[in-house]
Amino acid sequence: LTELAKRLAEDRSRELTMRVLFAPATLGAIAWLAANRQAAHRICGGLVLANLGDSGEFHYKRSRQGNALIDQIVPQMIGRLATQTATRDFTPFGYDERQYCSPGFNLPVGRLTRTPDGEYPEYHTSADNLSLISPKALAESLELCTEIVKEFSRQANAVQTSPVSRTIREQASSLNFSNLNTPIACASPNGLAPVEAHQRFLNLHPECEPPLGKFGLYQAYHHVANDAERQLFQQAVLWVLNLSDGLHSLAEIQATSHLEATTLKLATEQLLKCGLLQPV
């Protein structure tokens, strides 16, 4: 990223303003967004870079928007420069993309890695060290990032892209609340009563993840039995928070997250008790 920043600084032909951010995970992104809340809507594309020095294939994780310009360009560029690639849909867990893509910002920010987090045996152990990194892999990653920035700049300038990401409060103010509980056409809910399936909620702290630990919703869950259930509950909490923008029903959240209805209902109940959600 340092070398990429040098290349950007030397390129006098750029028409877009570029920002290169070095920040501690999670809190760094949240602090930057807090300091740039008013200008964040001007971001027309972003990319979280991580795990780019190992020998694994490239993986791109789409933004929450799913079909933003950055979501179209990165897989194209990977396909041109690499023989192996994988593209994944957005999930509200992982790295800092989940902060930029929180519903209060909903920025077009994806994530580029080689081997994703948690998918190599050394992850979060003392064996996760420089021996996993090769100059060849780093060089390939740098060239890919350079080409992505060039192509994004070219296409963004060509179509004069300027997507506006409104805050969740602005989104909510424009909704017709009288129609929100009208049943919609979606997959048959699995384990949800009709009223529950079509219920929508509003995340009351939508700009990045709230500090879940102080509400007892992170790691130490006294209402779940084991580690596997604890992990699924954590995922459910993050899915419900991320998609509770007044537009997604519980049935839609279930269809997107592929989680069990009982787990989603438990997460929703706990978030309501903590005052982090309100029914629409």
Side-chain angles (χ1 to χ4, degrees):
L1 187 54
T2 303
E3 184 61 30
L4 180 63
K6 291 178 181 178
R7 294 183 180 187
L8 289 172
E10 294 168 357
D11 181 7
R12 302 302 179 187
S13 65
R14 286 186 296 109
E15 295 185 32
L16 295 177
T17 299
M18 305 286 182
R19 289 288 182 267
V20 178
L21 179 62
F22 295 88
T26 304
L27 292 179
I30 292 173
W32 188 86
L33 285 165
N36 294 273
R37 183 183 284 109
Q38 300 306 316
H41 72 277
R42 295 168 57 196
I43 296 173
C44 60
L47 199 57
V48 172
L49 304 181
N51 298 0
L52 285 170
D54 67 281
S55 59
E57 65 184 53
F58 287 107
H59 287 74
Y60 177 67
K61 177 180 173 181
R62 296 183 182 93
S63 72
R64 184 179 185 270
Q65 297 181 19
N67 195 36
L69 185 59
I70 192 73
D71 299 322
Q72 300 171 42
I73 288 175
V74 176
Q76 292 174 5
M77 300 310 298
I78 295 175
R80 292 182 195 176
L81 300 175
T83 56
Q84 292 184 313
T85 179
T87 301
R88 299 181 177 184
D89 290 333
F90 173 78
T91 60
F93 31 88
Y95 291 141
D96 286 341
E97 69 278 357
R98 70 189 197 273
Q99 309 304 336
Y100 301 113
C101 294
S102 57
F105 289 105
N106 194 27
L107 298 174
V109 176
R111 187 189 76 186
L112 180 65
T113 65
R114 282 183 177 269
T115 307
D117 53 299
E119 297 187 21
Y120 56 99
E122 298 87 356
Y123 186 70
H124 275 199
T125 74
S126 58
D128 196 350
N129 55 46
L130 292 176
S131 66
L132 297 177
I133 297 173
S134 73
K136 180 177 182 293
L138 284 172
E140 291 173 351
S141 298
L142 174 60
E143 292 308 314
L144 174 60
C145 290
T146 302
E147 293 304 312
I148 288 171
V149 170
K150 286 181 180 178
E151 183 65 14
F152 184 89
S153 298
R154 185 186 70 79
Q155 292 197 35
N157 286 330
V159 299
Q160 297 182 338
T161 302
S162 183
V164 176
S165 297
R166 294 177 298 168
T167 68
I168 190 66
R169 293 173 183 82
E170 291 171 324
Q171 291 175 344
S173 66
S174 67
L175 296 175
N176 182 353
F177 286 95
S178 64
N179 295 327
L180 277 179
N181 286 320
T182 303
I184 59 172
C186 62
S188 299
N190 180 16
L192 292 170
V195 174
E196 295 172 328
H198 300 297
Q199 179 66 64
R200 293 170 172 79
F201 297 90
L202 199 63
N203 181 344
L204 299 179
H205 296 267
E207 294 179 338
C208 303
E209 292 174 12
L212 297 174
K214 76 176 186 179
F215 297 104
L217 296 178
Y218 192 80
Q219 294 182 345
Y221 310 123
H222 302 296
H223 43 272
V224 292
N226 54 50
D227 286 341
E229 289 185 16
R230 188 177 295 117
Q231 185 177 14
L232 290 174
F233 177 78
Q234 174 72 72
Q235 291 179 12
V237 166
L238 296 176
W239 272 115
V240 172
L241 283 173
N242 191 271
L243 293 183
S244 289
D245 51 8
L247 302 173
H248 294 84
S249 67
L250 279 182
E252 292 172 297
I253 296 174
Q254 184 183 19
T256 303
S257 67
H258 305 292
L259 293 171
E260 294 290 335
T262 53
T263 307
L264 284 172
K265 287 165 63 175
L266 177 59
T268 302
E269 291 168 1
Q270 295 301 317
L271 289 167
L272 286 167
K273 287 180 181 179
C274 295
L276 295 173
L277 286 185
Q278 80 175 23
V280 173

